[in-house]
Amino acid sequence: QYCQAAAAAVCQPLIAGRHLSVAALFAADGSWQLFPVAGQEIQIDHDGRFAYYGGCIPAVITTMQRDSIEGLVRNVAATIPG
């Protein structure tokens, strides 16, 4: 219902799971530097709206999760021209 109210909103399906965020710096030579992965505490309130309750840097993640995130960043880097 909220997506219909905001014409400029990006509507995406809710996928259950752990909330993480990642940032990286990308250089013109194709190299990149991954920042620490952050955990986020996000809940849906009684009206169906998302609420952010803080986070933790760095997030406690497994080696497999870190490798997966690095793979995602590597794929993003490959799409950046230059």
Side-chain angles (χ1 to χ4, degrees):
Q1 75 193 30
Y2 297 109
C3 286
Q4 294 171 355
V10 175
C11 297
Q12 298 176 333
L14 175 62
I15 300 173
R18 188 169 174 200
H19 305 286
L20 299 172
S21 63
V22 64
L25 287 177
F26 300 91
D29 66 0
S31 64
W32 50 272
Q33 177 65 48
L34 184 66
F35 285 83
V37 176
Q40 300 175 338
E41 181 62 35
I42 299 173
Q43 297 179 10
I44 302 174
D45 68 17
H46 63 280
D47 290 330
R49 295 182 187 212
F50 289 89
Y52 176 71
Y53 290 93
C56 178
I57 299 174
V60 178
I61 58 175
T62 66
T63 301
M64 182 186 291
Q65 290 168 325
R66 169 102 181 155
D67 291 348
S68 178
I69 292 166
E70 285 185 4
L72 175 64
V73 172
R74 190 176 306 108
N75 289 342
V76 169
T79 69
I80 299 173

